[in-house]
Amino acid sequence: MSTSHTKAVEQFDAVIVGAGPGGEVAAIRLRGQGLRVALIERELIGGECGYWACVPSKTLLRVTTAVSEVRHIAGLKPPPIDWGAVSGYRDYMVRDFDDRQQVQEYEQKGITFIRGEAHLKGPGRLEVAKRIVETPHIIIATGSQPRIPAIEGLEQAGYWTNRQATAFTQVPESVVILGGSAQSVELGQMFRRFGAAVTLIERGSYLLRREEPELGTLLADYLREDGVVVELKKEAVRVEVEADGTRVVHLNDGTQARGRHIIVATGRAPRTYFLGLEEAGVEVTEHGIRVDEYCRAAPGIWAVGDVTGIAKFTHVAQYQARVAADDILGKPHPAKYNAVPRVVFSDPEIGAVGLTAEQARTQGLEVVTAAVDFARTLARPSTYGKNINGRLGLIADKKRGVLVGAWGIGPEAGEWIHLPVQAIHAATPVSTLRDMIVQFPTFSESFFYALQQLDV
């Protein structure tokens, strides 16, 4: 007589694979409407953002930014940095890599949490942690992982990704950072201000290659003022390790960069390889899961966040989660990406939204631009501190009379960039924007003055 080993099948109205910011929003939104929801996560609830990226990096950056701000304020002296207290607070913010409280909170909400790696086993069917779950609605929110370049000797030498670079216990003596992205800039400035020697290597002609060139040029100047060595138009070709552990990065122009650690920040790849997506009819490219305007990837399957490759930001993952959840709930509304804010939490901060001037021209728009220098135009920089400056630029479509892009660099740019974000999202006419009243003295006044200069 044979004994059956058939696994019991658990039924849910929706299953979310990945408990990062996107997965969490989707689970809570669907459960809030009464659906039976399962949330699957192979690591920690909160994902990359909560433990190894946004939260720890911004926590650490705030310390170095606050110390720098003091240098610009009359009558104040920079305080010493207590690394023990700083790292302790960082560990508190990442919950000491313990998500047991979050698991309990989800269970109290009526959401079933399953720890493990999910594999698709047919339409609406997944296997995870030796359990079989079935559902008519699957949301893939598995995020992304560092994209490691094929550089001779890099694997043998060892390197840090964002995970090691935000969880370090002692400030390193020196680091070499590969890449000129937002992550590279934030980590580079942070480590330099904590006392490390920093060399940043970027193969392009300016930092932040997806933004306005002026932003990258200004930012490089600020980093150099901090003592960061910024190497542009250079690329790592080989890595060696000396007897004392120093990493020597050989560059394509014959020069070298040296550091105790190498940080790889050359982009991220969608995390799709373990799911078995192709067998479920999901189209996967090198950029991620292909989705439509409702975040649908295949019948009964949606994808949100970094795994889609559309825009690798926490706030986009959360937005897409709302789009996907509402589609499942029978309240479809298409996703729009024309006004996605992009902030670099450097000092000074950088904010951008919409198209660059070059991108707008490529789309065939009749482009007009305007820019305002804070020191020459605003009162706020002088009241904020000594030697404070910044710039705001606007890009408009002259034919339609609306903004299509904006960028800024200056104190708190991540906050005041939302004026143009709202204007671009709503396609508010420039003529309407010019008639608004802006508080004096603020950095937001730059938006008003730039509007007056636009030939629209």
Side-chain angles (χ1 to χ4, degrees):
M1 182 183 229
S2 63
T3 302
S4 173
H5 295 283
T6 302
K7 298 177 183 177
V9 176
E10 301 172 69
Q11 300 287 341
F12 296 94
D13 296 318
V15 173
I16 295 94
V17 183
E24 288 193 275
V25 167
I28 292 170
R29 200 173 186 89
L30 293 170
R31 180 57 190 156
Q33 294 299 308
L35 274 64
R36 293 169 299 164
V37 175
L39 180 62
I40 299 171
E41 172 56 52
R42 67 176 188 166
E43 292 187 298
L44 296 166
I45 293 176
E48 200 79 21
C49 177
Y51 292 95
W52 301 284
C54 313
V55 171
S57 67
K58 277 50 176 181
T59 299
L60 294 171
L61 279 163
R62 180 58 191 144
V63 176
T64 60
T65 300
V67 172
S68 177
E69 286 176 351
V70 169
R71 297 191 181 100
H72 294 282
I73 301 174
L76 296 181
K77 294 182 179 179
I81 295 177
D82 181 343
W83 172 246
V86 170
S87 60
Y89 186 66
R90 184 258 333 261
D91 294 343
Y92 162 77
M93 289 298 293
V94 299
R95 312 182 189 107
D96 290 310
F97 300 99
D98 184 346
D99 68 352
R100 284 176 293 180
Q101 181 179 341
Q102 284 65 46
V103 171
Q104 185 179 36
E105 290 173 353
Y106 275 109
E107 290 174 344
Q108 289 171 349
K109 289 183 173 74
I111 295 172
T112 299
F113 177 73
I114 305 173
R115 182 97 61 194
E117 193 168 275
H119 301 269
L120 286 164
K121 294 297 181 180
R125 189 179 180 94
L126 299 111
E127 182 175 2
V128 55
K130 299 181 179 180
R131 298 163 72 170
I132 297 293
V133 298
E134 289 186 346
T135 178
H137 308 107
I138 298 172
I139 298 179
I140 306 297
T142 49
S144 62
Q145 60 194 21
R147 195 185 295 273
I148 308 302
I151 298 172
E152 181 186 344
L154 179 62
E155 290 290 340
Q156 293 82 352
Y159 54 85
W160 284 3
T161 66
N162 62 288
R163 293 201 168 192
Q164 294 78 25
T166 57
F168 62 96
T169 55
Q170 294 294 327
V171 177
E173 173 188 327
S174 55
V175 297
V176 177
I177 301 177
L178 306 183
S181 64
Q183 182 185 90
S184 308
V185 166
E186 291 178 356
L187 292 175
Q189 191 172 54
M190 178 193 74
F191 277 114
R192 180 68 195 112
R193 289 183 170 184
F194 276 134
V198 177
T199 302
L200 192 155
I201 300 168
E202 163 57 34
R203 65 182 180 180
S205 57
Y206 58 91
L207 301 177
L208 307 178
R209 284 183 291 150
R210 297 180 182 177
E211 304 296 348
E212 288 289 341
E214 186 174 351
L215 270 181
T217 300
L218 289 170
L219 185 56
D221 291 340
Y222 282 116
L223 291 177
R224 289 178 176 127
E225 287 177 11
D226 270 338
V228 175
V229 177
V230 180
E231 300 281 11
L232 301 174
K233 299 181 182 179
K234 295 185 181 182
E235 195 168 355
V237 295
R238 183 164 53 91
V239 177
E240 293 179 337
V241 183
E242 296 185 333
D244 65 353
T246 298
R247 274 70 176 168
V248 181
V249 180
H250 295 266
L251 306 179
N252 58 344
D253 66 344
T255 61
Q256 299 175 353
R258 305 165 68 86
R260 299 294 294 184
H261 295 283
I262 296 172
I263 299 175
V264 177
T266 51
R268 298 185 67 82
R271 190 178 284 125
T272 61
Y273 60 91
F274 56 89
L275 291 164
L277 293 169
E278 291 86 350
E279 291 146 6
V282 176
E283 183 180 354
V284 181
T285 73
E286 63 176 320
H287 303 294
I289 295 174
R290 190 181 297 278
V291 295
D292 68 10
E293 58 191 343
Y294 300 98
C295 295
R296 302 166 185 157
I301 300 177
W302 290 254
V304 304
D306 283 13
V307 76
T308 69
I310 290 174
K312 297 184 181 72
F313 302 112
T314 293
H315 43 289
V316 172
Q318 293 171 327
Y319 170 68
Q320 290 178 319
R322 297 194 296 271
V323 171
D326 287 351
D327 193 42
I328 290 171
L329 293 167
K331 305 172 185 177
H333 53 91
K336 294 174 58 179
Y337 304 105
N338 66 311
V340 175
R342 308 180 297 275
V343 175
V344 183
F345 291 85
S346 53
D347 179 22
E349 281 187 0
I350 284 175
V353 59
L355 303 174
T356 65
E358 182 181 355
Q359 290 168 345
R361 292 188 183 99
T362 300
Q363 292 188 13
L365 303 182
E366 186 178 353
V367 174
V368 291
T369 64
V372 169
D373 187 284
F374 289 5
R376 298 177 183 176
T377 311
L378 308 180
R380 182 55 175 156
S382 297
T383 64
Y384 194 86
K386 298 180 292 182
N387 302 316
I388 300 294
N389 201 0
R391 281 178 70 78
L392 169 73
L394 300 178
I395 301 104
D397 176 0
K398 185 169 185 176
K399 184 176 180 179
R400 290 189 298 142
V402 298
L403 298 179
V404 294
W407 56 270
I409 182 169
E412 303 174 19
E415 303 298 332
W416 44 259
I417 195 63
H418 284 85
L419 273 171
V421 168
Q422 186 175 22
I424 294 170
H425 176 76
T428 307
V430 170
S431 58
T432 300
L433 296 171
R434 284 191 181 124
D435 195 41
M436 67 180 177
I437 300 172
V438 186
Q439 172 71 41
F440 173 90
T442 63
F443 292 111
S444 294
E445 284 185 287
S446 60
F447 184 51
F448 171 80
Y449 287 114
L451 287 167
Q452 309 311 307
Q453 294 182 20
L454 276 176
D455 182 21
V456 174

